[in-house]
Amino acid sequence: MTVKNLGGANLKKIAMVLVTILLINSKLTFIAYADPTSGAPTLSSEAAILLDQKTGQVLYDKNSTAQMYPASLTKIATAIYAIEKGNLDDIVTVSSKARNVEGTRVYLAEGEQISLKKLLQGLLINSGNDAGIAIAEHLDGSVRNFSKNINEYLKTEIGVQDTNFVNPHGLFDPNHVTTAEDMARITQYAMKNETFREIMSIKELDWTGEAWSTTLYNHHKLMREIPYEGVTGGKTGYVDQSGQTLVTTAERGNLSLIAVTLKGNTQTEAYNDTIELLDFGFENFKTTQIVKGKKFESEDGVPFLATKNLNYTQMKTGDVKLEVTNDGTLTVVQSNEALNTSFQLKEVKQNTAVASSKASSPDRDQEQIPFTSNISFYFFMLIIVLGVFGMVYTRVLKR
């Protein structure tokens, strides 16, 4: 492409034309932004994903649909399932099976009675496998029934299709699998729940049980030991077969992110990968909201409005335009086509009574013109009559 040299006057004319086009075409909104792909993270973990929590937009992925072993990330699904199905005030009796499960525990005693909410705290903060078994048995009678029901819940309520859990805690089983994308979607769904968000964000908690009294500390290092600005929650996981697994949620300004890494070789690699993902997200993206009630017009002038707040992800610099078709589809078109998204708007029906009233108003105005003229005529005639009457009356008096 050949670029001709443009003089200052020509540049001013072009600028004026562009500004005029932007002002006239109210159906399109333009914002500037740049392609950040050159700065995309290089990760050591075998699978990873970065998600905009509000919009669900994938900002980065690496093998995100490959089925892998989640380890204790499973407990995120167990927690939201229990919160939505159970009663937090329920008192749970701990079984022998829960008491004797291997791995990380909160050292529940057999026969101990404890609230479901406290079990959820032990599950998420200290990654208690015994708490997971106790929850599963309380909700569904057995781990087997729990597994069947939670898999159905994950498919029907959350919509993930590549996850199969056979226990509530994530200890290794060759059939216990998920994907980075599924884990991000499960976390996104769970973070909409206030109780889940509250427990997920706890950094430390005093714990008093029959067999163990201590302070529980969240295992996620970005929550405490190496704090990352904006982190709102996280869950760690590890078994030999899964490697290091990590889910992290973070928020700065209007952007909320979910980062998932699976099968890191070491903790250091998993945390470095997570920090790279979050840095990449916060440096390059933002969430933009179209407020409920905002009006739009299609190219043919058909009016539409947003019936709820609509969020979409965009890069911080570059081109974004909003296009509305005659069927009410609002499409957010961006330079990075992967960020394109669509919403359905509601058509605004014109009030026929008002339209009819407006249409007939000119006729009424025409009727008012002679009416006003008649008033003036009658007033003028009255003055003449009074004048004549006055003259006659004066002559009669003189006689």
Side-chain angles (χ1 to χ4, degrees), residues 372-390:
T372 304
S373 300
N374 287 341
I375 292 176
S376 301
F377 174 77
Y378 292 139
F379 182 74
F380 177 73
M381 290 301 295
L382 179 62
I383 291 175
I384 293 175
V385 170
L386 290 175
V388 172
F389 178 79

Side-chain angles (χ1 to χ4, degrees), residues 216-264:
L216 303 182
Y217 294 97
N218 195 305
H219 293 184
H220 199 298
K221 291 186 176 182
L222 297 188
M223 297 278 286
R224 298 187 306 106
E225 298 169 56
I226 45 176
Y228 182 90
E229 180 189 350
V231 164
T232 57
K235 186 73 195 74
T236 62
Y238 175 81
V239 292
D240 290 342
Q241 296 85 349
S242 73
Q244 298 290 337
T245 63
L246 213 55
V247 164
T248 311
T249 62
E251 181 175 343
R252 291 183 191 171
N254 65 349
L255 181 62
S256 300
L257 298 175
I258 297 171
V260 179
T261 61
L262 299 179
K263 205 167 187 181

